[in-house]
């Protein structure tokens, strides 16, 4: 039985910001991932990722201001910067032929 082969850990980072200042703020994401070739046709890609958001992004997408609170009945909520989410992920890829693959993925955040 052939042994699986692990590839080195890959780190990637991305930053996006709202240049025209439309209230979307800044988001930074860091991903660490690797790959395991189980057989010649079957491999797993897996890793972890985290996203940091600034105050402007948090307020735009998660806060409940006094007007929204009055209209919706939700409590007022002031969102702040910090980790927006963290997740684990795995993707399985099986090569049916040189031109066709079947892929499936799952993540938990």
């Amino acid at each position: 039985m052939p042994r699986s082969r692990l590839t080195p850990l890959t780190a990637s980072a991305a930053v996006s910001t709202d240049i025209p200042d439309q209230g979307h703020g800044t988001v930074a994401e860091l991903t660490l991932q690797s790959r395991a070739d189980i057989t010649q046709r079957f491999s797993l890609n897996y890793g972890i990722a985290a996203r940091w958001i600034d105050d402007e992004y948090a307020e735009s997408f998660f806060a409940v201001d006094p007007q929204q609170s009055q209209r919706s009945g939700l409590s007022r909520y002031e969102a702040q910067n910090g980790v927006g989410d963290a997740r684990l992920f795995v993707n399985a890829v099986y090569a049916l032929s040189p031109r066709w693959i079947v892929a499936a993925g799952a993540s938990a955040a």
Side-chain angles (χ1 to χ4, degrees):
M1 179 173 172
R3 296 173 63 160
S4 64
R5 184 176 68 81
L6 297 175
T7 60
L9 186 66
T10 302
S12 60
V15 176
S16 60
T17 192
D18 180 16
I19 292 173
D21 198 22
Q22 299 293 313
H24 296 273
T26 300
V27 176
E29 185 161 336
L30 175 63
T31 304
L32 301 173
Q33 64 183 355
S34 191
R35 176 180 162 142
D37 294 323
I38 308 302
T39 69
Q40 283 186 315
R41 292 181 155 201
F42 181 66
S43 64
L44 295 174
N45 300 311
Y46 55 92
I48 59 173
R51 185 171 57 148
W52 175 88
I53 59 176
D54 72 353
D55 285 332
E56 186 176 15
Y57 184 97
E59 283 291 317
S60 294
F61 294 99
F62 299 109
V64 178
D65 66 27
Q67 293 172 336
Q68 293 168 328
S69 175
Q70 186 177 15
R71 285 193 313 260
S72 68
L74 295 172
S75 298
R76 187 173 186 282
Y77 178 69
E78 186 176 325
Q80 297 177 346
N81 68 356
V83 176
D85 65 53
R87 62 192 176 282
L88 300 169
F89 62 88
V90 63
N91 299 305
V93 179
Y94 183 78
L96 297 172
S97 71
R99 291 182 174 222
W100 290 91
I101 65 167
V102 174
S107 66

XYZ file of all heavy atoms in Angstrom:
830
model
N 0.842 -1.177 0.000
C 0.000 0.000 0.000
C 0.889 1.243 0.000
O 1.740 1.412 0.864
C -0.889 -0.027 1.235
C -1.786 1.145 1.356
S -2.922 0.876 2.744
C -3.654 2.444 2.788
N 0.691 2.154 -0.972
C 1.525 3.356 -1.008
C 1.228 4.268 0.175
O 0.107 4.331 0.656
C 1.150 4.018 -2.330
C -0.068 3.336 -2.819
C -0.237 2.065 -2.058
N 2.241 4.966 0.620
C 2.076 5.887 1.738
C 1.642 7.251 1.223
O 2.004 7.664 0.134
C 3.400 6.013 2.476
C 3.812 4.699 3.106
C 5.170 4.789 3.688
N 5.164 5.784 4.770
C 6.066 5.838 5.698
N 7.050 4.972 5.712
N 6.016 6.753 6.630
N 0.862 7.941 2.034
C 0.432 9.283 1.643
C 1.611 10.244 1.771
O 2.543 10.022 2.528
C -0.746 9.739 2.489
O -0.357 9.859 3.829
N 1.552 11.317 1.003
C 2.617 12.312 1.008
C 2.029 13.652 1.431
O 1.043 14.123 0.872
C 3.221 12.443 -0.383
C 4.392 13.387 -0.448
C 5.016 13.396 -1.830
N 4.141 13.988 -2.826
C 3.985 15.297 -3.037
N 4.632 16.150 -2.287
N 3.188 15.743 -3.979
N 2.615 14.254 2.470
C 2.180 15.564 2.956
C 3.009 16.643 2.282
O 4.218 16.505 2.131
C 2.347 15.659 4.467
C 1.524 14.695 5.308
C 1.898 14.841 6.774
C 0.051 14.923 5.112
N 2.358 17.719 1.880
C 3.087 18.848 1.318
C 3.371 19.846 2.437
O 2.752 19.798 3.498
C 2.277 19.537 0.202
O 1.053 20.010 0.751
C 1.994 18.576 -0.943
N 4.307 20.748 2.202
C 4.606 21.749 3.234
C 3.399 22.631 3.534
O 2.498 22.770 2.721
C 5.730 22.584 2.619
C 6.279 21.757 1.517
C 5.163 20.883 1.042
N 3.431 23.224 4.686
C 2.392 24.155 5.112
C 2.534 25.445 4.305
O 3.631 25.964 4.139
C 2.549 24.442 6.601
C 1.490 25.270 7.276
C 0.164 24.511 7.283
C 1.912 25.576 8.695
N 1.427 25.945 3.800
C 1.411 27.188 3.030
C 0.637 28.237 3.819
O -0.451 27.964 4.306
C 0.729 26.977 1.662
O 1.410 25.962 0.948
C 0.730 28.259 0.853
N 1.216 29.410 3.914
C 0.543 30.528 4.582
C 0.207 31.582 3.536
O 1.013 31.874 2.650
C 1.445 31.125 5.652
N -0.994 32.124 3.638
C -1.365 33.220 2.748
C -2.120 34.269 3.558
O -2.777 33.963 4.549
C -2.213 32.724 1.576
O -3.403 32.129 2.038
N -1.997 35.500 3.115
C -2.662 36.610 3.786
C -3.269 37.528 2.736
O -2.731 37.662 1.638
C -1.671 37.382 4.654
N -4.396 38.120 3.083
C -5.054 39.069 2.187
C -5.666 40.177 3.019
O -6.170 39.936 4.110
C -6.125 38.359 1.376
N -5.616 41.383 2.484
C -6.234 42.532 3.130
C -7.107 43.221 2.093
O -6.675 43.447 0.967
C -5.179 43.530 3.661
C -5.839 44.772 4.235
C -4.292 42.868 4.690
N -8.333 43.519 2.482
C -9.200 44.304 1.606
C -9.729 45.486 2.402
O -10.019 45.375 3.589
C -10.341 43.454 1.054
O -11.128 42.933 2.094
N -9.806 46.611 1.717
C -10.276 47.820 2.391
C -11.211 48.598 1.470
O -11.168 48.435 0.255
C -9.097 48.698 2.850
O -9.580 49.693 3.733
C -8.359 49.322 1.689
N -12.028 49.386 2.069
C -13.038 50.161 1.371
C -12.440 51.502 0.950
O -12.567 52.503 1.656
C -14.236 50.345 2.306
C -15.355 51.140 1.692
O -15.378 51.318 0.468
O -16.233 51.576 2.465
N -11.789 51.552 -0.207
C -11.114 52.763 -0.671
C -12.087 53.933 -0.873
O -11.806 55.040 -0.449
C -10.286 52.475 -1.938
C -9.124 51.560 -1.565
C -9.770 53.770 -2.575
C -8.315 51.052 -2.718
N -13.273 53.718 -1.490
C -14.183 54.866 -1.651
C -14.926 55.248 -0.367
O -15.774 56.125 -0.385
C -15.157 54.422 -2.741
C -15.122 52.944 -2.732
C -13.744 52.568 -2.246
N -14.633 54.587 0.746
C -15.211 54.891 2.056
C -16.742 54.837 2.050
O -17.419 55.793 2.396
C -14.715 56.249 2.555
C -14.919 56.404 4.062
O -15.029 55.366 4.761
O -14.980 57.550 4.534
N -17.244 53.667 1.677
C -18.682 53.424 1.642
C -19.178 52.746 2.918
O -20.274 52.204 2.943
C -19.040 52.559 0.427
C -18.682 53.186 -0.900
C -19.528 54.411 -1.186
O -20.737 54.384 -1.034
N -18.882 55.498 -1.574
N -18.362 52.700 3.959
C -18.776 52.124 5.229
C -18.493 50.640 5.360
O -19.044 49.986 6.231
N -17.630 50.102 4.500
C -17.358 48.662 4.544
C -16.090 48.305 5.311
O -15.847 47.136 5.569
C -17.294 48.091 3.125
C -18.596 48.206 2.402
N -19.574 47.255 2.492
C -19.086 49.181 1.612
C -20.614 47.636 1.778
N -20.343 48.802 1.234
N -15.274 49.263 5.638
C -14.129 49.025 6.505
C -13.024 48.192 5.890
O -12.883 48.100 4.679
N -12.248 47.547 6.763
C -11.079 46.765 6.370
C -11.164 45.367 6.974
O -11.553 45.204 8.125
C -9.784 47.461 6.835
O -9.726 48.754 6.222
C -8.545 46.669 6.458
N -10.764 44.394 6.165
C -10.752 42.992 6.578
C -9.388 42.411 6.231
O -8.867 42.644 5.140
C -11.846 42.189 5.830
C -11.775 40.720 6.185
C -13.217 42.750 6.124
N -8.796 41.671 7.157
C -7.535 40.965 6.916
C -7.773 39.480 7.188
O -8.398 39.130 8.191
C -6.436 41.502 7.822
N -7.289 38.635 6.299
C -7.482 37.195 6.461
C -6.142 36.472 6.375
O -5.317 36.784 5.522
C -8.427 36.658 5.390
C -8.734 35.200 5.592
C -9.983 34.737 4.857
O -10.853 35.561 4.559
O -10.068 33.531 4.598
N -5.940 35.519 7.270
C -4.746 34.678 7.286
C -5.192 33.230 7.162
O -6.088 32.784 7.883
C -3.964 34.869 8.594
C -2.747 33.957 8.783
C -1.691 34.230 7.716
C -2.167 34.141 10.166
N -4.578 32.511 6.236
C -4.904 31.098 6.003
C -3.634 30.266 6.065
O -2.616 30.633 5.473
C -5.572 30.918 4.616
O -6.714 31.752 4.530
C -5.964 29.471 4.385
N -3.695 29.150 6.780
C -2.630 28.159 6.818
C -3.226 26.871 6.273
O -4.262 26.404 6.769
C -2.129 27.934 8.246
C -1.573 29.149 8.964
C -1.283 28.797 10.420
C -0.315 29.638 8.283
N -2.584 26.302 5.230
C -3.141 25.087 4.645
C -2.046 24.141 4.176
O -0.910 24.541 3.978
C -4.089 25.417 3.505
C -3.466 26.096 2.320
C -4.518 26.456 1.276
O -5.679 26.125 1.406
N -4.108 27.132 0.241
N -2.443 22.910 4.008
C -1.537 21.881 3.522
C -2.329 20.906 2.665
O -3.551 21.031 2.534
C -0.862 21.150 4.687
O 0.183 20.332 4.194
N -1.627 19.942 2.116
C -2.249 18.958 1.236
C -1.652 17.595 1.536
O -0.460 17.472 1.810
C -1.979 19.343 -0.213
C -2.481 18.368 -1.222
C -2.136 18.880 -2.596
N -2.208 17.799 -3.547
C -2.668 17.936 -4.763
N -3.081 19.117 -5.179
N -2.701 16.908 -5.577
N -2.496 16.593 1.479
C -2.046 15.215 1.649
C -2.481 14.434 0.412
O -3.673 14.358 0.118
C -2.648 14.595 2.899
N -1.510 13.917 -0.325
C -1.810 13.051 -1.461
C -1.962 11.635 -0.916
O -0.982 10.986 -0.577
C -0.691 13.114 -2.505
C -0.597 14.487 -3.150
O -1.656 15.105 -3.371
O 0.531 14.940 -3.423
N -3.201 11.179 -0.822
C -3.490 9.873 -0.243
C -3.134 8.772 -1.233
O -2.494 7.788 -0.877
C -4.978 9.779 0.173
C -5.371 10.975 1.069
C -5.263 8.456 0.852
C -4.570 11.122 2.330
N -3.579 8.922 -2.473
C -3.204 8.034 -3.578
C -2.875 8.926 -4.765
O -2.946 10.151 -4.670
C -4.349 7.064 -3.960
O -5.415 7.811 -4.549
C -4.842 6.288 -2.753
N -2.562 8.329 -5.911
C -2.296 9.140 -7.101
C -3.533 9.917 -7.538
O -3.424 10.965 -8.149
C -1.817 8.264 -8.258
C -0.380 7.836 -8.139
C 0.058 7.102 -9.386
O -0.647 6.236 -9.893
N 1.231 7.458 -9.870
N -4.710 9.416 -7.223
C -5.948 10.051 -7.665
C -6.689 10.818 -6.574
O -7.556 11.615 -6.877
C -6.904 8.994 -8.217
C -6.436 8.389 -9.493
C -7.450 7.398 -9.969
N -7.347 7.258 -11.403
C -8.283 6.807 -12.167
N -9.436 6.440 -11.644
N -8.100 6.698 -13.460
N -6.382 10.565 -5.326
C -7.148 11.137 -4.220
C -6.253 11.991 -3.330
O -5.195 11.542 -2.883
C -7.790 10.016 -3.395
C -8.624 10.506 -2.257
C -9.785 11.220 -2.474
C -8.250 10.251 -0.952
C -10.566 11.676 -1.428
C -9.020 10.691 0.111
C -10.181 11.407 -0.133
N -6.696 13.244 -3.073
C -5.930 14.126 -2.196
C -6.872 14.916 -1.289
O -8.055 15.080 -1.587
C -5.065 15.092 -3.011
O -5.869 15.947 -3.772
N -6.328 15.374 -0.187
C -7.052 16.225 0.765
C -6.303 17.536 0.926
O -5.080 17.545 1.102
C -7.147 15.548 2.134
C -7.948 14.272 2.234
C -7.799 13.668 3.623
C -9.410 14.525 1.918
N -7.012 18.632 0.838
C -6.488 19.950 1.172
C -7.172 20.346 2.481
O -8.388 20.217 2.593
C -6.832 20.970 0.090
C -6.260 20.588 -1.251
O -5.088 20.275 -1.350
N -7.091 20.599 -2.272
N -6.405 20.832 3.454
C -6.987 21.128 4.756
C -6.235 22.276 5.405
O -5.097 22.581 5.030
C -6.946 19.898 5.666
C -5.554 19.327 5.803
C -4.725 19.740 6.831
C -5.065 18.406 4.880
C -3.439 19.243 6.943
C -3.788 17.903 4.987
C -2.980 18.328 6.022
O -1.706 17.846 6.124
N -6.903 22.920 6.343
C -6.224 24.003 7.029
C -7.120 24.772 7.972
O -8.229 24.349 8.307
N -6.599 25.919 8.390
C -7.311 26.827 9.282
C -7.230 28.236 8.698
O -6.293 28.554 7.955
C -6.737 26.810 10.721
C -5.254 27.204 10.717
C -6.932 25.462 11.367
C -4.661 27.379 12.090
N -8.203 29.054 9.031
C -8.204 30.441 8.566
C -8.854 31.315 9.628
O -9.713 30.851 10.389
C -8.957 30.567 7.250
N -8.440 32.559 9.673
C -9.032 33.528 10.599
C -9.140 34.864 9.876
O -8.308 35.204 9.036
C -8.187 33.673 11.856
N -10.185 35.597 10.234
C -10.436 36.896 9.610
C -10.565 37.946 10.705
O -11.320 37.775 11.655
C -11.716 36.816 8.786
C -12.018 38.053 8.001
C -13.148 37.832 7.052
N -14.323 37.380 7.768
C -15.570 37.663 7.404
N -15.797 38.356 6.324
N -16.585 37.235 8.116
N -9.812 39.036 10.576
C -9.884 40.172 11.486
C -10.645 41.286 10.799
O -10.443 41.545 9.608
C -8.478 40.641 11.851
C -8.472 41.878 12.689
C -8.545 41.940 14.051
C -8.408 43.227 12.235
N -8.535 43.248 14.470
C -8.452 44.060 13.368
C -8.329 43.811 10.984
C -8.406 45.438 13.279
C -8.295 45.191 10.889
C -8.324 45.991 12.032
N -11.530 41.966 11.539
C -12.300 43.069 10.988
C -12.072 44.325 11.829
O -11.842 44.240 13.034
C -13.810 42.730 10.939
C -14.351 42.409 12.328
C -14.067 41.577 9.975
C -15.852 42.166 12.384
N -12.110 45.479 11.168
C -11.936 46.730 11.911
C -13.283 47.243 12.430
O -14.331 46.653 12.160
C -11.210 47.779 11.064
C -12.034 48.370 9.936
O -13.166 47.902 9.684
O -11.543 49.306 9.290
N -13.233 48.341 13.196
C -14.449 48.904 13.801
C -15.501 49.281 12.759
O -16.693 49.048 12.959
C -14.113 50.151 14.628
C -13.440 49.816 15.946
O -13.692 48.712 16.482
O -12.671 50.650 16.440
N -15.067 49.872 11.656
C -16.017 50.317 10.633
C -16.763 49.131 10.024
O -17.980 49.171 9.859
C -15.298 51.108 9.537
C -16.236 51.720 8.523
C -15.514 52.584 7.503
O -14.274 52.506 7.389
O -16.210 53.334 6.814
N -16.041 48.066 9.714
C -16.673 46.863 9.175
C -17.639 46.276 10.201
O -18.771 45.915 9.887
C -15.606 45.834 8.797
C -16.152 44.586 8.144
C -16.153 44.463 6.763
C -16.664 43.531 8.893
C -16.655 43.330 6.147
C -17.170 42.406 8.296
C -17.162 42.302 6.919
O -17.664 41.178 6.315
N -17.186 46.168 11.450
C -18.013 45.598 12.519
C -19.297 46.396 12.695
O -20.389 45.824 12.805
C -17.224 45.552 13.832
N -19.196 47.720 12.724
C -20.377 48.566 12.878
C -21.326 48.432 11.690
O -22.539 48.371 11.861
C -19.965 50.031 13.057
C -19.453 50.363 14.433
C -20.543 50.317 15.494
O -21.659 50.805 15.259
O -20.269 49.770 16.577
N -20.761 48.378 10.471
C -21.602 48.299 9.267
C -22.390 47.004 9.185
O -23.543 47.003 8.759
C -20.734 48.423 8.008
O -20.165 49.700 7.931
N -21.785 45.901 9.580
C -22.405 44.598 9.333
C -22.971 43.906 10.573
O -23.766 42.974 10.451
C -21.423 43.674 8.619
C -21.090 44.157 7.240
C -19.923 44.853 6.997
C -21.969 43.947 6.188
C -19.627 45.308 5.714
C -21.686 44.395 4.911
C -20.511 45.083 4.670
N -22.566 44.327 11.778
C -22.989 43.604 12.973
C -23.677 44.467 14.034
O -24.341 43.945 14.917
C -21.809 42.879 13.618
C -21.177 41.867 12.710
C -19.920 42.088 12.166
C -21.846 40.704 12.369
C -19.336 41.153 11.314
C -21.276 39.774 11.514
C -20.021 40.007 10.987
N -23.500 45.765 13.976
C -24.056 46.634 15.005
C -25.564 46.843 14.816
O -26.092 46.684 13.720
C -23.344 47.984 14.982
N -26.229 47.197 15.905
C -27.640 47.593 15.875
C -27.695 48.989 16.503
O -27.469 49.144 17.703
C -28.536 46.608 16.660
C -29.977 47.076 16.645
C -28.409 45.195 16.113
N -27.941 50.008 15.658
C -27.980 51.374 16.175
C -29.352 51.656 16.793
O -30.276 50.839 16.684
C -27.602 52.389 15.092
C -28.594 52.487 13.953
O -29.787 52.202 14.138
O -28.159 52.868 12.846
N -29.513 52.813 17.460
C -30.797 53.107 18.130
C -32.010 53.057 17.193
O -33.070 52.557 17.569
C -30.592 54.507 18.699
C -29.124 54.605 18.921
C -28.516 53.839 17.790
N -31.875 53.583 15.972
C -32.998 53.553 15.021
C -33.345 52.118 14.630
O -34.516 51.749 14.562
C -32.667 54.374 13.776
C -32.559 55.856 14.045
C -32.033 56.608 12.842
O -31.361 56.056 11.981
N -32.335 57.912 12.795
N -32.335 51.311 14.343
C -32.574 49.909 13.982
C -33.193 49.162 15.157
O -34.065 48.321 14.967
C -31.271 49.238 13.552
C -30.715 49.782 12.259
C -29.294 49.302 12.011
O -28.515 49.084 12.948
N -28.949 49.136 10.746
N -32.737 49.473 16.354
C -33.272 48.831 17.552
C -34.761 49.139 17.711
O -35.572 48.247 17.979
C -32.499 49.305 18.784
O -33.076 48.780 19.955
N -35.115 50.399 17.513
C -36.515 50.802 17.652
C -37.388 50.126 16.594
O -38.479 49.653 16.895
C -36.627 52.320 17.545
C -38.013 52.837 17.831
C -38.069 54.355 17.794
O -37.156 55.014 17.300
N -39.137 54.907 18.328
N -36.901 50.071 15.346
C -37.686 49.463 14.263
C -37.817 47.953 14.405
O -38.850 47.378 14.096
C -37.053 49.780 12.905
C -37.275 51.196 12.427
C -36.910 51.346 10.959
N -35.638 50.759 10.589
C -34.493 51.421 10.431
N -34.461 52.723 10.615
N -33.392 50.797 10.075
N -36.739 47.298 14.857
C -36.719 45.830 14.851
C -37.081 45.191 16.184
O -37.433 44.017 16.231
C -35.327 45.340 14.452
O -34.387 45.671 15.475
N -36.932 45.944 17.276
C -37.143 45.362 18.590
C -35.901 44.677 19.140
O -35.910 44.179 20.262
N -34.818 44.660 18.370
C -33.554 44.093 18.850
C -32.887 45.071 19.808
O -33.074 46.287 19.694
C -32.610 43.817 17.675
C -33.055 42.764 16.669
C -32.113 42.745 15.468
C -33.090 41.390 17.326
N -32.086 44.570 20.706
C -31.341 45.438 21.625
C -30.269 46.190 20.845
O -29.728 45.686 19.862
C -30.662 44.604 22.703
O -31.622 43.922 23.466
N -29.955 47.384 21.308
C -28.866 48.151 20.706
C -27.575 47.376 20.916
O -27.346 46.800 21.973
C -28.779 49.519 21.374
C -27.794 50.435 20.711
C -27.877 51.836 21.317
N -27.029 52.750 20.591
C -25.702 52.830 20.734
N -25.088 52.053 21.598
N -25.004 53.698 20.026
N -26.712 47.353 19.887
C -25.461 46.614 19.981
C -24.355 47.382 19.269
O -24.496 47.759 18.114
C -25.596 45.226 19.363
C -24.321 44.425 19.395
C -23.805 43.947 20.586
C -23.615 44.172 18.226
C -22.624 43.227 20.626
C -22.433 43.445 18.247
C -21.947 42.989 19.451
O -20.775 42.285 19.480
N -23.280 47.660 19.981
C -22.132 48.357 19.413
C -21.046 47.322 19.124
O -20.445 46.774 20.047
C -21.610 49.419 20.380
C -20.513 50.253 19.788
C -20.079 51.368 20.713
O -20.934 51.931 21.424
O -18.879 51.659 20.736
N -20.810 47.053 17.846
C -19.804 46.065 17.443
C -18.426 46.723 17.417
O -18.300 47.923 17.169
C -20.154 45.506 16.069
N -17.389 45.922 17.673
C -16.022 46.435 17.705
C -15.110 45.555 16.863
O -15.473 44.445 16.474
C -15.514 46.466 19.142
C -16.297 47.401 20.027
C -15.815 47.361 21.463
O -15.086 46.469 21.867
N -16.237 48.340 22.252
N -13.897 46.059 16.639
C -12.926 45.304 15.852
C -12.511 44.027 16.573
O -12.723 43.876 17.773
C -11.708 46.167 15.529
C -10.876 46.496 16.760
O -11.223 46.151 17.886
N -9.789 47.184 16.549
N -11.944 43.109 15.827
C -11.467 41.860 16.406
C -11.577 40.721 15.412
O -11.756 40.945 14.212
N -11.496 39.513 15.912
C -11.598 38.339 15.046
C -13.047 38.200 14.600
O -13.953 38.056 15.418
C -11.121 37.061 15.771
C -11.332 35.833 14.889
C -9.653 37.190 16.147
N -13.267 38.297 13.294
C -14.608 38.174 12.734
C -15.066 36.734 12.682
O -16.214 36.419 12.940
N -14.149 35.844 12.335
C -14.439 34.420 12.363
C -13.141 33.634 12.262
O -12.109 34.154 11.850
C -15.430 33.992 11.263
C -14.881 34.164 9.852
O -13.784 33.660 9.558
O -15.567 34.785 9.030
N -13.216 32.390 12.655
C -12.109 31.442 12.521
C -12.734 30.145 12.046
O -13.860 29.820 12.426
C -11.393 31.241 13.853
N -12.037 29.436 11.175
C -12.626 28.208 10.647
C -11.578 27.156 10.336
O -10.420 27.464 10.090
C -13.465 28.512 9.412
C -12.720 29.094 8.256
C -13.677 29.646 7.192
N -12.957 30.299 6.127
C -12.436 31.508 6.182
N -12.558 32.219 7.272
N -11.784 32.017 5.161
N -12.046 25.922 10.372
C -11.283 24.759 9.931
C -11.916 24.299 8.631
O -13.143 24.352 8.488
C -11.376 23.627 10.952
C -10.866 23.913 12.348
C -11.269 22.786 13.295
C -9.365 24.068 12.334
N -11.121 23.827 7.698
C -11.697 23.366 6.437
C -10.940 22.160 5.898
O -9.773 21.931 6.224
C -11.710 24.484 5.388
C -10.345 24.995 5.012
C -9.616 24.410 3.993
C -9.787 26.060 5.696
C -8.356 24.875 3.655
C -8.528 26.543 5.368
C -7.812 25.952 4.343
N -11.641 21.374 5.099
C -11.048 20.237 4.395
C -11.754 20.103 3.050
O -12.964 20.292 2.950
C -11.139 18.922 5.211
C -12.580 18.501 5.441
C -10.355 17.815 4.539
N -10.983 19.858 2.021
C -11.504 19.632 0.676
C -10.917 18.326 0.154
O -9.705 18.119 0.225
C -11.114 20.774 -0.267
C -11.662 22.093 0.183
O -12.848 22.222 0.387
N -10.794 23.083 0.365
N -11.765 17.460 -0.351
C -11.331 16.188 -0.925
C -11.453 16.276 -2.442
O -12.440 16.781 -2.967
C -12.196 15.051 -0.396
N -10.431 15.786 -3.145
C -10.421 15.812 -4.609
C -10.063 14.421 -5.107
O -9.059 13.840 -4.694
C -9.396 16.841 -5.139
C -9.375 16.842 -6.661
C -9.690 18.229 -4.600
N -10.904 13.901 -6.000
C -10.654 12.605 -6.613
C -10.623 12.785 -8.126
O -11.564 13.326 -8.712
C -11.731 11.584 -6.221
C -11.451 10.212 -6.777
C -10.510 9.387 -6.176
C -12.096 9.765 -7.917
C -10.232 8.133 -6.685
C -11.820 8.512 -8.440
C -10.884 7.705 -7.824
O -10.595 6.476 -8.331
N -9.549 12.361 -8.768
C -9.409 12.473 -10.220
C -10.036 11.251 -10.892
O -9.549 10.128 -10.739
C -7.939 12.583 -10.603
N -11.132 11.473 -11.598
C -11.769 10.389 -12.350
C -10.965 10.043 -13.590
O -10.894 8.886 -13.992
C -13.189 10.788 -12.754
C -14.171 11.048 -11.610
C -15.466 11.632 -12.150
C -14.428 9.766 -10.850
N -10.386 11.071 -14.204
C -9.553 10.929 -15.404
C -8.646 12.151 -15.447
O -8.773 13.042 -14.596
C -10.433 10.854 -16.652
O -11.015 12.117 -16.932
N -7.765 12.258 -16.435
C -6.931 13.465 -16.511
C -7.738 14.755 -16.699
O -7.273 15.834 -16.375
C -6.043 13.210 -17.722
C -5.955 11.722 -17.813
C -7.312 11.225 -17.389
N -8.971 14.667 -17.193
C -9.776 15.860 -17.451
C -10.928 16.057 -16.471
O -11.549 17.115 -16.468
C -10.358 15.803 -18.849
C -9.314 15.958 -19.917
C -9.973 15.935 -21.261
N -9.010 16.209 -22.276
C -9.221 16.993 -23.306
N -10.385 17.584 -23.442
N -8.295 17.187 -24.188
N -11.263 15.063 -15.673
C -12.434 15.150 -14.803
C -12.062 14.847 -13.360
O -11.323 13.890 -13.094
C -13.511 14.154 -15.252
C -14.133 14.530 -16.546
C -13.731 14.135 -17.797
C -15.238 15.396 -16.754
N -14.513 14.679 -18.759
C -15.465 15.472 -18.142
C -16.053 16.117 -15.901
C -16.478 16.241 -18.680
C -17.068 16.882 -16.453
C -17.264 16.933 -17.828
N -12.611 15.659 -12.445
C -12.414 15.421 -11.013
C -13.760 15.519 -10.311
O -14.710 16.101 -10.820
C -11.439 16.423 -10.367
C -12.017 17.856 -10.408
C -10.056 16.354 -10.985
C -11.303 18.837 -9.538
N -13.805 14.923 -9.133
C -14.940 15.083 -8.221
C -14.345 15.714 -6.966
O -13.317 15.252 -6.459
C -15.601 13.732 -7.884
C -16.675 13.917 -6.833
C -16.171 13.086 -9.124
N -14.973 16.779 -6.490
C -14.460 17.468 -5.317
C -15.587 17.742 -4.337
O -16.742 17.950 -4.733
C -13.803 18.791 -5.724
N -15.254 17.690 -3.054
C -16.206 18.001 -2.005
C -15.453 18.692 -0.882
O -14.276 18.405 -0.646
C -16.892 16.736 -1.486
N -16.124 19.596 -0.197
C -15.467 20.312 0.880
C -16.406 20.517 2.062
O -17.616 20.447 1.918
N -15.784 20.760 3.204
C -16.544 21.045 4.416
C -15.729 22.017 5.267
O -14.494 22.017 5.216
C -16.816 19.764 5.194
N -16.440 22.839 6.033
C -15.758 23.733 6.949
C -16.606 23.928 8.192
O -17.827 23.752 8.169
C -15.464 25.088 6.296
O -16.664 25.767 6.015
N -15.932 24.257 9.273
C -16.601 24.581 10.524
C -16.058 25.921 10.991
O -14.838 26.105 11.043
C -16.343 23.498 11.573
N -16.962 26.855 11.282
C -16.523 28.192 11.685
C -17.036 28.494 13.075
O -18.037 27.970 13.510
C -17.034 29.237 10.703
